[in-house]
């Protein structure tokens, strides 16, 4: 979550409640359990790590004043590193989705380039598992495990196809408005 929050700050300085709202929109129903307290704990950790600084306080409509945070140069570097990191063979779909949202929001990476890189990783992993499966009988314990891994990779690849179509549409819409 730290990398996502940091990337969202790259676009514009924000306070925890605004970041929570942006994350909830990105996650849809999966973000219902996210509370502003979690975001503020994350902001405190990022501040202690020297990745964000408090830039000002805003008066809230009701309640206490809200601290507004912005990334430091080290924070900008961390976002660039994160955008370039591989998700690994067992990358989490929700985390990757947040990375796509953060890439678009921050301008730190092209979401379509991230989708393509992830597809290459998964294709490579699928080829490796398929080679391993050739050495095992289909009904054996190892064969069943490898079949499960292949099905998961194939499902992730299909999801990436959907992501690519969705993000391609967003990119085309953004360019139509003079963005991008």
């Amino acid at each position: 979550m730290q990398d996502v929050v940091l990337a969202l700050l790259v676009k514009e300085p924000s306070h925890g409640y605004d970041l929570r709202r942006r994350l909830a929109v990105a996650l849809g129903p999966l973000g219902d359990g996210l509370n502003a307290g979690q975001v503020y704990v994350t902001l405190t950790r990022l501040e202690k790590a020297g990745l964000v600084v408090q830039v000002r306080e805003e008066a809230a409509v009701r309640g206490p004043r809200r601290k507004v945070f912005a990334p430091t140069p080290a924070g900008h570097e961390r976002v660039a590193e994160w955008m370039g990191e591989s998700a690994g063979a067992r990358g989490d779909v929700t985390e990757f989705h947040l990375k796509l949202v953060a890439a678009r929001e921050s301008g730190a990476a092209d979401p379509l380039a991230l989708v393509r890189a992830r597809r290459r990783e998964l294709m490579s992993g699928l080829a490796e598992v398929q080679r391993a499966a050739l050495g095992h009988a289909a009904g054996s314990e190892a064969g069943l495990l490898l079949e499960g891994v292949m099905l998961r990779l194939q499902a992730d690849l299909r999801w990436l196809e959907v992501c690519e179509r969705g993000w391609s549409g967003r990119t085309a819409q953004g360019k139509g408005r003079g963005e991008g």
Side-chain angles (χ1 to χ4, degrees):
M1 168 118 114
Q2 287 187 18
D3 290 322
V4 175
V5 168
L6 188 56
L8 292 176
L9 289 172
V10 167
K11 181 178 182 184
E12 62 185 327
S14 297
H15 53 77
Y17 289 99
D18 181 51
L19 289 167
R20 187 239 172 255
R21 179 192 56 75
R22 290 164 63 192
L23 286 166
V25 167
L27 287 171
L30 297 177
D32 289 345
L34 183 66
N35 67 51
Q38 291 171 288
V39 175
Y40 276 108
V41 166
T42 299
L43 287 167
T44 300
R45 288 181 182 147
L46 290 169
E47 188 174 31
K48 285 180 182 176
L51 299 172
V52 301
V53 292
Q54 182 181 334
V55 291
R56 66 179 183 278
E57 284 193 23
E58 290 180 350
V61 174
R62 52 191 153 111
R65 295 176 64 84
R66 296 183 175 157
K67 296 177 181 178
V68 176
F69 294 88
T72 63
H76 282 276
E77 286 177 28
R78 175 61 201 140
V79 169
E81 289 170 9
W82 179 56
M83 290 296 164
E85 287 176 2
S86 165
R90 298 182 187 258
D92 180 75
V93 171
T94 303
E95 184 177 325
F96 186 73
H97 172 76
L98 284 172
K99 190 177 210 177
L100 293 175
V101 170
R104 170 87 188 267
E105 285 279 320
S106 67
D110 175 11
L112 290 173
L114 294 175
V115 168
R116 291 180 194 117
R118 182 71 181 136
R119 180 182 295 113
R120 285 189 299 274
E121 289 174 359
L122 292 176
M123 292 296 291
S124 175
L126 181 58
E128 186 177 313
V129 172
Q130 287 170 331
R131 280 191 297 275
L134 292 174
H136 299 279
S140 69
E141 288 88 358
L144 290 172
L145 174 62
L146 292 168
E147 182 72 22
V149 173
M150 285 189 288
L151 290 171
R152 160 95 194 272
L153 291 169
Q154 290 167 351
D156 286 352
L157 285 164
R158 284 193 303 276
W159 178 71
L160 286 176
E161 290 172 11
V162 173
C163 285
E164 186 167 33
R165 284 193 303 271
W167 285 98
S168 292
R170 287 187 177 109
T171 301
Q173 289 171 354
K175 288 181 181 175
R177 291 190 313 256
E179 299 175 5

